[in-house]
Amino acid sequence: MTDMMKAVRLHEFGGPDVLLYEDAPRPKISADDVLVRVHAASINPPDLYLRDGYHALPPEWQPSPSFPLILGTDVSGKIAAVGEDVSQFEVGDEVYAMVRFPHDLMTGSNAYAEYVRVPASDLALKPVGIDHIQASAAPMSLLTAWQFLVDLGRHAPNPFQTFSHSPVPLAGKTVLVNGAGGGVGHFAVQIAKWQGAKVIAVASGKHEALLNDLRADIFVDYTKVAAETVARDVDLVFDAVGGVAMERFLPSIKPDGALFLVNPLGFSGHDEAARRKITVSTMQVRSNGAQLAEAGRLLDDGSVRVVIDSTYPLAEASAAHHRASEGSIQGKMVLVAD
Ligand SMILES: NC(=O)c1ccc[n+]([C@@H]2O[C@H](COP(=O)([O-])OP(=O)(O)OC[C@H]3O[C@@H](n4cnc5c(N)ncnc54)[C@H](OP(=O)(O)O)[C@@H]3O)[C@@H](O)[C@H]2O)c1
């Protein structure tokens, strides 16, 4: 077996054109790792942020890693080798994972490659009912929706707030999902429905048919009407968009309700939220193989569907990042390694 593989690497930060498909050394594994032959790797916003050197952050927070880097956290593939302390997986198992996140946030988790090293604790068996493309599309977005809405998982420091995030019960409640057509949003809609909530899905008009298919109860096209002007007495707003004026949702939420911010940077409504008795909470998604196994049952039995926006060959990662930068993604974008 050769020591080399193909990978998408960058030798400097910049736009999509810094992504180069080239030869790279095949990763070595430690005792607690497995080596996964990657069939598919999905694209997530942190891949774009890191490719760009997190230039939106203050300079003192920006990374200064040693190049070359390999981006990507989410994979699905087949186990090619297992470390000596790994007993729960074997060579040939089909698996999926979000790899070392946020541990490798500033260096890349190396998923845009033919082979990737994955800690066994980040890994779960791929749900048999879906293919590698769908499985690779799930981990980060699905774990984000799961950890916000169902189970936070292991206690870990929260970089955004002093208290631990707590999911709230959703059965019989009204949940507004902003950004409902995107990676995190389309899973949040389905998980809230699975928990028995009534869901108001907010997205641009191109996602209306999909969100009806995913059983959203009400669809709001934010390009035609501002969601906060029509939504009233909502128990939970799950904002999977972020950016400007997230506090505009507060008047739509009941007292004792909650606003969950997936991208909290720039939120300035804490005083108003306290006056209205609304809990504002966020958290950072963390790798968790046990949760992927649990949530994977919903992918297997069809309770939750993985929606694919588009696929690109791994060799065309640069073109895929051009498309991703345009936004308005429906579900997930995936790089296919073979
Ligand atoms: N806290 C965490 O650990 C965590 C984890 C994962 C992701 N995130 C963050 O969460 C955000 C979403 O991630 P993602 O993977 O879901 O991204 P994504 O797949 O790009 O989805 C974003 C969606 O938002 C929609 N959108 C854009 N502007 C909007 C607006 N003004 N109102 C309503 N919808 C709008 C877009 O489509 P349309 O405009 O066509 O509707 C798109 O479908 C990113 O900022 C990401 O960094 C945070």
Side-chain angles (χ1 to χ4, degrees):
M1 175 151 115
T2 159
D3 286 344
M4 299 302 284
M5 64 174 182
K6 288 290 186 193
V8 175
R9 304 202 297 183
L10 56 158
H11 297 260
E12 59 182 328
F13 291 132
D17 296 336
V18 299
L19 298 177
L20 303 177
Y21 183 71
E22 58 189 21
D23 292 323
R26 198 176 281 196
K28 306 252 183 300
I29 58 169
S30 313
D32 294 330
D33 294 328
V34 305
L35 183 68
V36 174
R37 170 70 170 95
V38 177
H39 288 287
S42 68
I43 295 178
N44 285 285
D47 308 349
L48 277 68
Y49 306 151
L50 180 58
R51 190 206 69 221
D52 241 0
Y54 279 91
H55 78 265
L57 291 180
E60 62 275 19
W61 292 1
Q62 289 173 6
S64 47
S66 4
F67 290 100
L69 300 185
I70 302 178
L71 305 177
T73 57
D74 285 9
V75 289
S76 183
K78 202 179 266 191
I79 294 184
V82 296
E84 62 213 31
D85 291 347
V86 175
S87 53
Q88 67 273 47
F89 297 105
E90 28 186 84
V91 170
D93 282 349
E94 299 199 273
V95 289
Y96 74 141
M98 177 175 77
V99 184
R100 291 186 302 277
F101 195 86
H103 186 272
D104 287 359
L105 177 74
M106 293 298 190
T107 55
S109 296
N110 295 6
Y112 291 6
E114 286 180 328
Y115 290 87
V116 63
R117 175 178 75 83
V118 185
S121 57
D122 291 356
L123 210 63
L125 291 176
K126 178 181 79 62
V128 289
I130 59 174
D131 62 20
H132 285 294
I133 290 174
Q134 293 167 309
S136 76
M140 180 176 282
S141 298
L142 182 61
L143 284 175
T144 302
W146 192 263
Q147 290 172 11
F148 264 101
L149 297 177
V150 181
D151 174 19
L152 181 64
R154 298 187 279 270
H155 176 75
N158 187 329
F160 301 117
Q161 63 194 28
T162 52
F163 57 96
S164 186
H165 173 78
S166 294
V168 294
L170 295 183
K173 300 289 171 67
T174 301
V175 178
L176 182 151
V177 178
N178 190 39
V184 175
H186 87 291
F187 286 130
V189 165
Q190 297 180 80
I191 284 173
K193 286 302 296 178
W194 170 71
Q195 289 183 299
K198 172 182 168 187
V199 173
I200 304 170
V202 182
S204 70
K206 71 178 255 198
H207 307 299
E208 181 168 6
L210 169 71
L211 288 159
N212 287 336
D213 271 5
L214 298 182
R215 300 191 303 123
D217 298 277
I218 297 174
F219 176 79
V220 179
D221 179 349
Y222 74 86
T223 65
K224 296 202 174 118
V225 53
E228 65 277 13
T229 63
V230 291
R232 284 283 164 268
D233 295 329
V234 169
D235 295 285
L236 170 68
V237 169
F238 179 90
D239 185 355
V241 179
V244 286
M246 291 171 257
E247 46 285 352
R248 71 190 185 280
F249 288 115
L250 290 169
S252 298
I253 303 172
K254 285 179 182 165
D256 298 321
L259 172 59
F260 289 173
L261 301 173
V262 177
N263 181 357
L265 298 179
F267 179 73
S268 63
H270 288 290
D271 291 346
E272 184 186 347
R275 270 199 313 279
R276 292 179 180 274
K277 299 189 175 15
I278 291 167
T279 302
V280 178
S281 186
T282 185
M283 60 101 217
Q284 183 165 49
V285 67
R286 307 190 78 83
S287 293
N288 189 322
Q291 287 185 330
L292 272 185
E294 210 185 332
R297 286 194 215 112
L298 304 184
L299 304 178
D300 235 345
D301 72 14
S303 316
V304 170
R305 237 174 78 196
V306 186
V307 173
I308 304 296
D309 175 282
S310 46
T311 63
Y312 289 75
L314 181 62
E316 291 172 26
S318 170
H321 269 228
H322 274 289
R323 157 72 189 95
S325 310
E326 289 163 11
S328 206
I329 297 168
Q330 183 170 90
K332 299 292 301 179
M333 294 182 60
V334 175
L335 302 172
V336 182
D338 60 5

